[in-house]
């Protein structure tokens, strides 16, 4: 009897995890008092004031490790920098007047790019570029 309960509990947790579809992990600590290593992969950092690094798993299970999200102070312009099958990607995202996030230059990452930016904005684990 206990064995069936444990199996059902494990299957339920697994199903709920799969239903969520996406996981994000912030790799910066909001309470960190130490200086973080600033390895920024964007060619044009002058347009941005802060950054953070995230790991993102898409709905189809693709894991994007170390997505570097750069943002301006107003959080209206973003740059997502990450490795995609050995090729460095630089995806530009802007916040529209309606508050939505729009990917400007990478069709393959259009939906995921907006989700990564939403998560970065909601976690507030930003580190200063200055």
């Amino acid at each position: 009897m206990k064995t069936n309960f444990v199996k059902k509990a494990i299957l339920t947790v697994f199903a709920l995890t799969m239903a969520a579809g996406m996981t994000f992990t912030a790799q910066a600590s909001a309470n960190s008092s130490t200086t973080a290593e600033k390895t920024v992969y964007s060619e044009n950092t002058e347009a941005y004031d802060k950054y953070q690094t995230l790991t993102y798993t898409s709905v189809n299970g693709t894991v994007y490790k170390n997505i570097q999200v750069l943002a301006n102070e107003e959080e209206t312009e973003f740059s997502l920098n990450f490795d995609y099958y050995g090729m460095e990607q630089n995806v530009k995202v802007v916040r529209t007047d309606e508050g939505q996030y729009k990917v400007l230059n990478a069709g393959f990452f259009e939906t995921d790019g907006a989700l990564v930016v939403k998560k970065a904005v909601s976690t507030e684990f930003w580190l200063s570029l200055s």
Side-chain angles (χ1 to χ4, degrees):
M1 194 63 127
K2 279 187 176 181
T3 305
N4 285 337
F5 175 77
V6 171
K7 285 180 182 178
K8 286 181 183 179
I10 290 171
L11 288 174
T12 302
V13 169
F14 178 75
L16 290 172
T17 302
M18 295 305 292
M22 294 170 245
T23 59
F24 298 88
T25 305
Q27 295 178 335
S29 172
N31 299 324
S32 177
S33 60
T34 61
T35 304
E37 180 181 337
K38 293 182 183 179
T39 306
V40 179
Y41 300 103
S42 179
E43 294 176 12
N44 179 17
T45 60
E46 295 83 33
Y48 305 103
D49 301 302
K50 54 190 177 179
Y51 77 100
Q52 62 179 289
T53 304
L54 302 172
T55 297
Y56 169 69
T57 305
S58 68
V59 175
N60 67 6
T62 303
V63 176
Y64 300 92
K65 293 183 178 181
N66 300 321
I67 297 178
Q68 195 168 63
V69 182
L70 287 80
N72 63 357
E73 193 63 41
E74 300 80 23
E75 296 181 357
T76 58
E77 295 181 27
F78 303 87
S79 176
L80 308 179
N81 302 290
F82 58 98
D83 181 71
Y84 184 71
Y85 293 102
M87 296 175 20
E88 189 174 313
Q89 300 296 312
N90 182 281
V91 176
K92 301 294 182 196
V93 181
V94 295
R95 186 177 69 210
T96 65
D97 292 337
E98 295 80 27
Q100 301 298 314
Y101 296 100
K102 181 178 180 179
V103 174
L104 299 179
N105 64 336
F108 81 97
F109 209 62
E110 188 172 346
T111 301
D112 292 321
L115 293 172
V116 169
V117 169
K118 284 180 184 178
K119 185 59 181 182
V121 169
S122 71
T123 60
E124 290 293 328
F125 289 140
W126 297 108
L127 300 171
S128 175
L129 281 170
S130 55

